[in-house]
Amino acid sequence: MTELPLLRAMRLKGRLSAEAAASYAGSSVPDAQAGLEELVGLGHAARAGDFVSLTAQGRERLAALLADERRSLDVAALDTGYEEFDRFNTELKRIVTDWQLRDGQPNDHADRAYDTVIVERLLDLHDRFSPLLARFAALARRLSPYRDRFGRAAESVRAGDHSYIARPIIDSYHTVWFELHEDLIGLLGRTRAAEAAAGRAV
Amino acid sequence: MSGGVLLWIGECGELDRELVGGKAFSLNRMRQLKLPVPPAFVLTTEVCRRFHANGGRLDDDVVEAVRQAVAMLEERTERVFGGADRPLLVSVRSGAARSMPGMMDTVLNLGLNPRVERALREQTGDRRYPADTHARFVDQFARVTGSPPPEEPWDQLMAAVAAVFGSWNSARARAYRSHHGIDESGGTAVTIQAMVFGNLDARSGTGVLFTRNPLSGDSEPYGEWLPGGQGEDVVSGRFDPLPLERLATALPEVHAELLAAAATLETDRRDVQDIEFTVEAGKLWLLQCRPAKRSPYAAVRLASALVKDGIVTVEQALGLVSPEQIAAVCRPRIAPEARHRATVLARGEPACPGASSGHVALDVDAAMDLADSGGDVVLVRRTTEPHDVAGMIASVAIVTEVGGSTSHAAVVSRELGIPCVVGCGAGTVAELAGREVTVDGSTGEIFDGRLEMASCSEAEIPELAELARWARERSDPLESVPDGHPGHR
C-alpha cells in the first residue's frame, strides 16, 4: 500500500528520486525503487534519468486515491489540528526568516550568539510541535513518516549542520514542513490558493 | 513600598536600564518625551533577585504593590481587570538586557477568560478576533507557565509574573548564560502594560511607521495602516495593510500627531526609527520604538540625510553604515539611466536582494524547459508550492502574487540567493506572461524588458561619495571605500 504515498511524493517533489521517495513513504530505498518501477509500468509515472514524475494518468489516479482516503478521515479532528498547526506555521516562518535575514540584510552568520538563539528557537518549536505531529500521524497514518523526517532534520541542526534549517531539495526542517503543510491542505480538501488568500499558506 | 521594586513608567525620571530592562527603559523614555504610551509599570530586577532568594515566591509586599498598581491601571484606563463591561487586558513582558533561549518573554492579552471573550465579542462585533486572541493567549500562557490559565485574571497575572521570574533560572537560560559569559546575578524585570484595542470601532486600527523610508532611503515617513487591526496583525504579514497615507485621509489629526511623535523620537534617538502604534477610538498610542532595519542603499542615503537635517554629527553618521552595507550597495544593479526609462510592470515586497533579467515562465515545466535550452528564466507564480522548488532553482528571479517576506517563495529564494519579489497582487501573472522582464529584488520592482546592469560608483550615489569623503577627511577611512574605488571586497 505505498501507491498513494509514492504518487503523492511525485506530486510534491515534481521530479522524484528513489531516495526522496523512500524518505517520504517511510520505506527502504529498494522498496521505494520497486514501487516506482511498478507505477512506471502502470503508466502512472514516467522516468527521466534517475527521476520519475507523474503522468496525466497518474495525476487522475492520485486524485481518486485521495478522494477515497478523505472519506475515511476524521476531518473535524484534522481541522482542529490544522488550526493549531497554523499558529506553529507562523512561528516557524518567522524563525526561518530570522535565520536568513538580520536587520533586513542576509544573515552573514558571523554572530554565533545570534545564530544560537535561532537554533534554540527552532529546536524548542520542534519539541512543542511533536505532540501535534503525533496526533496528525494517528489521524492519517500516511503522515507517520513525517515524524522521522522532522526528527532527522532537528537532529542534524542540533549536531551543527545548519543546512538542515531551510535548504531546499534536501529534507531540511523547512522543506519537510512545507510538504506537510501541503499534505494537510490536501487531506482537508482545501486548496493552496484559498489558504494563501486567507493568509495561512504563503 | 520601596521605590526600587515597582516603578511606574514615565513617572520616575530616568530609569536604570540594568534595573528595569531594555523594554521598560525605552517606554519610559517615550513617556518622558510626553508621547502617548499605554500606562505601564515595571517590577525591577531587584524583585527577581528577591524572588529567587525566597525560593521562588513573591514577597507579600510585592504582591500588595502589584495589586495597588493594577487598581491604578484600571482607574487610568477606565477598564476593569476581568470585568465584563470594559475588560482590562495587560501584556506581561520580561525585560532582561537581551533575549536568550529558555527565557519567557511575552504574554499578551492576559486577563482573558471565557466571560471576557464574550464581552469583547459584543463590544467589537467581531467574532473571530476574540476567539483568536483567546486561543493565542491560552497558548502563550501555557508555554510560559507550563499550565493552562486559571479563570481569574489576578491568578493569571501572579502565575505569569512568577513564571517570567522563574524562567531566569531555567536550565536552558543558565546554560546559555554560562556559555556566553553573561552575569548570573543580573535577573530580569517584568513590565506590565495595559493593552489597547485597534479593533474597537471604525476609528481604530494598528500600524507601523518608519520615520524615513527604510527601503529607498527617501526622507519621507513610510508606513502601513490596518484599519480595525489588532496587535500582531500588521507584523504577522497575514493581512495586506494600507499605505500610511490612508490614515491621513481617515484620521488626519491622529496622522499629524503620529508624524510629530516620529520626529520627536528620531531626534531624541539620533537614528531612523521603526514605531509600532495602535489607534483606539481615535486616540493614538505608541507601543514600541526601535532603530529601523534598512536596506544598504537606504543606510547610505539616510546617514547622509540625518547629517543634513542636523540630527546626527558626521562621526555618528559614519557609525550608522557598516562595511557590509557599503559592500551590498556596490553589488551590480540596474543602470540608473535604464531604470529611469524603464516601464514598471509590477511592484511587490522585496524578499531577496539582487537584480536579474529573463523570460517569464508560469510553471515549473515551462521554467525547466526554458532553462534546459539555455535561457534565463523568471518564474512567476500566484504563490509557490513544494513542487515549484525545482523550477525556482532553475530560475534567475522569482515573483509571486501572494505572500510576504516570510512566505515559502521568500524563504527558498534567500536560501538560493535568487532575487525575489513577493506579494505583487492579483493579476501579476497575467500581466507578466510572455514577456522578458528585469526583476529588482532590492526594491521590489519588475520592469519590462532586459535592462542594462551597472556596478555602482560614487558618481551614481552622491551620498556614498559624501560618506567616503567624510571618512577620508577624518583620516579614519571606511575600510570598504578606498579612494575612488568603492566596494572591491
Side-chain angles (χ1 to χ4, degrees):
Chain A
M1 230 328 276
T2 56
E3 185 185 9
L4 173 54
L6 292 179
L7 290 171
R8 187 69 189 143
M10 278 186 268
R11 176 72 187 91
L12 284 174
K13 309 261 188 191
R15 298 179 183 183
L16 181 69
S17 68
E19 288 74 21
S23 169
Y24 181 85
S27 68
S28 72
V29 175
D31 283 356
Q33 186 80 47
L36 292 177
E37 289 309 329
E38 204 175 312
L39 292 174
V40 171
L42 288 168
H44 294 334
R47 174 168 289 285
D50 289 338
F51 297 93
V52 293
S53 51
L54 273 184
T55 58
Q57 181 196 320
R59 224 177 280 268
E60 279 174 29
R61 176 69 183 154
L62 173 60
L65 289 174
L66 288 174
D68 278 352
E69 180 188 46
R70 200 145 54 232
R71 274 191 278 281
S72 63
L73 286 177
D74 182 348
V75 175
L78 262 181
D79 231 354
T80 307
Y82 184 66
E83 277 178 29
E84 291 170 46
F85 174 83
D86 184 37
R87 290 199 286 277
F88 282 115
N89 187 45
T90 303
E91 184 181 343
L92 187 271
K93 293 197 304 184
R94 189 73 253 163
I95 291 171
V96 171
T97 302
D98 287 347
W99 173 255
Q100 295 178 318
L101 291 179
R102 191 173 178 187
D103 298 335
Q105 294 305 310
N107 179 5
D108 62 8
H109 301 295
D111 182 348
R112 292 183 60 186
Y114 178 84
D115 283 1
T116 303
V117 171
I118 293 172
V119 166
E120 287 283 343
R121 280 166 62 198
L122 178 67
L123 295 175
D124 178 55
L125 175 140
H126 176 67
D127 290 347
R128 289 182 284 108
F129 171 61
S130 293
L132 176 59
L133 183 58
R135 271 165 55 205
F136 282 140
L139 288 167
R141 287 192 39 214
R142 178 159 69 77
L143 301 180
S144 302
Y146 277 106
R147 302 176 69 177
D148 278 348
R149 296 177 73 197
F150 278 118
R152 282 194 297 267
E155 278 321 304
S156 299
V157 172
R158 202 187 303 276
D161 187 345
H162 294 157
S163 62
Y164 278 86
I165 295 176
R167 183 165 298 172
I169 301 296
I170 65 169
D171 265 1
S172 67
Y173 212 88
H174 183 262
T175 299
V176 179
W177 187 274
F178 204 63
E179 290 183 5
L180 172 65
H181 196 171
E182 192 73 12
D183 264 327
L184 291 173
I185 290 170
L187 284 165
L188 287 166
R190 305 185 188 202
T191 67
R192 181 161 287 273
E195 290 303 285
R200 282 189 292 268
V202 285
Chain B
M1 186 72 232
S2 145
V5 173
L6 186 152
L7 302 171
W8 278 90
I9 301 290
E11 293 169 19
C12 306
E14 196 75 31
L15 293 182
D16 173 2
R17 191 186 278 267
E18 292 298 310
L19 188 66
V20 300
K23 172 83 188 167
F25 182 84
S26 162
L27 290 175
N28 189 61
R29 184 70 196 148
M30 286 160 82
R31 284 289 299 257
Q32 285 186 310
L33 293 167
K34 310 263 184 270
L35 298 175
V37 173
F41 59 90
V42 57
L43 297 170
T44 64
T45 52
E46 174 59 28
V47 180
C48 186
R49 276 187 288 275
R50 282 166 55 177
F51 175 86
H52 287 292
N54 237 343
R57 269 192 65 252
L58 288 169
D59 287 343
D60 290 344
D61 63 336
V62 171
V63 173
E64 184 49 35
V66 174
R67 202 181 286 282
Q68 287 173 15
V70 169
M72 184 71 90
L73 274 187
E74 290 179 320
E75 199 173 299
R76 292 188 183 184
T77 56
E78 296 174 5
R79 290 178 173 273
V80 177
F81 201 40
D85 187 19
R86 286 175 49 86
L88 168 68
L89 303 185
V90 300
S91 64
V92 176
R93 299 174 202 259
S94 81
R98 59 195 286 187
S99 70
M100 54 186 81
M103 274 297 303
M104 293 309 172
D105 61 11
T106 302
V107 183
L108 299 176
N109 298 302
L110 187 138
L112 263 167
N113 58 29
R115 186 166 37 113
V116 172
E117 183 190 327
R118 264 197 309 280
L120 282 176
R121 198 160 53 223
E122 283 158 22
Q123 244 179 60
T124 60
D126 181 344
R127 292 215 324 273
R128 189 182 164 107
Y129 157 75
D132 272 5
T133 307
H134 194 183
R136 262 208 300 265
F137 163 63
V138 169
D139 203 51
Q140 255 180 355
F141 187 94
R143 200 180 306 158
V144 169
T145 65
S147 51
E151 172 92 15
E152 274 308 308
W154 173 257
D155 298 336
Q156 296 174 0
L157 180 60
M158 285 297 103
V161 168
V164 172
F165 283 140
S167 71
W168 174 258
N169 262 350
S170 70
R172 219 170 199 169
R174 288 216 309 256
Y176 183 85
R177 287 197 294 273
S178 125
H179 184 75
H180 293 284
I182 300 167
D183 187 5
E184 273 298 308
S185 68
T188 181
V190 177
T191 301
I192 295 161
Q193 184 172 37
M195 303 276 307
V196 288
F197 299 87
N199 57 343
L200 200 64
D201 58 22
R203 291 161 51 80
S204 301
T206 190
V208 292
L209 167 76
F210 293 88
T211 55
R212 296 166 197 246
N213 189 315
L215 297 174
S216 68
D218 289 340
S219 282
E220 296 289 330
Y222 171 88
E224 292 178 332
W225 164 241
L226 187 61
Q230 170 67 357
E232 298 155 323
D233 287 349
V234 170
V235 281
S236 75
R238 292 173 157 229
F239 297 90
D240 287 335
L242 306 174
L244 193 71
E245 294 71 43
R246 296 287 288 275
L247 175 63
T249 323
L251 299 166
E253 283 163 22
V254 170
H255 183 257
E257 187 186 356
L258 177 64
L259 290 198
T264 302
L265 284 165
E266 187 181 86
T267 305
D268 184 62
R269 304 202 177 181
R270 299 178 185 282
D271 194 6
V272 179
Q273 299 293 307
D274 164 356
I275 299 163
E276 285 178 27
F277 66 93
T278 285
V279 180
E280 182 188 87
K283 161 85 179 130
L284 174 70
W285 295 103
L286 305 183
L287 305 183
Q288 180 156 298
C289 173
R290 61 196 158 190
K293 297 175 179 178
R294 64 204 75 177
S295 74
Y297 180 60
V300 168
R301 297 194 62 211
L302 291 173
S304 162
L306 288 172
V307 171
K308 287 205 179 64
D309 293 347
I311 289 167
V312 300
T313 64
V314 166
E315 284 76 11
Q316 285 164 338
L318 291 173
L320 292 174
V321 185
S322 71
E324 289 75 19
Q325 286 169 325
I326 302 271
V329 166
C330 294
R331 271 201 290 264
R333 57 200 186 85
I334 299 168
E337 293 259 301
R339 178 190 290 272
H340 186 68
R341 286 193 305 268
T343 308
V344 177
L345 297 175
R347 276 197 181 84
E349 187 173 350
C352 182
S356 43
S357 309
H359 289 278
V360 169
L362 301 184
D363 60 45
V364 186
D365 292 337
M368 305 211 18
D369 288 348
L370 187 53
D372 285 346
S373 67
D376 291 334
V377 186
V378 174
L379 181 66
V380 181
R381 301 282 292 155
R382 173 152 176 76
T383 175
T384 63
E385 301 177 16
H387 81 267
D388 288 322
V389 171
M392 296 168 79
I393 291 172
S395 302
V396 301
I398 297 158
V399 175
T400 67
E401 287 189 350
V402 185
S405 68
T406 67
S407 66
H408 175 252
V411 167
V412 173
S413 71
R414 288 191 292 259
E415 283 301 306
L416 299 170
I418 297 173
C420 177
V421 179
V422 294
C424 295
T428 304
V429 169
E431 174 70 26
L432 301 184
R435 292 180 190 264
E436 192 175 16
V437 299
T438 299
V439 177
D440 189 336
S442 309
T443 64
E445 291 164 306
I446 296 112
F447 298 98
D448 195 16
R450 181 178 287 270
L451 302 188
E452 187 194 336
M453 297 286 166
S455 54
C456 87
S457 71
E458 291 181 13
E460 284 159 13
I461 308 177
E463 294 90 346
L464 184 63
E466 204 165 35
L467 285 181
R469 181 167 53 77
W470 287 336
R472 282 193 295 268
E473 282 167 8
R474 271 146 195 84
S475 64
D476 178 22
L478 285 178
E479 242 177 70
S480 56
V481 190
D483 272 11
H485 299 285
H488 296 290
R489 283 164 58 87

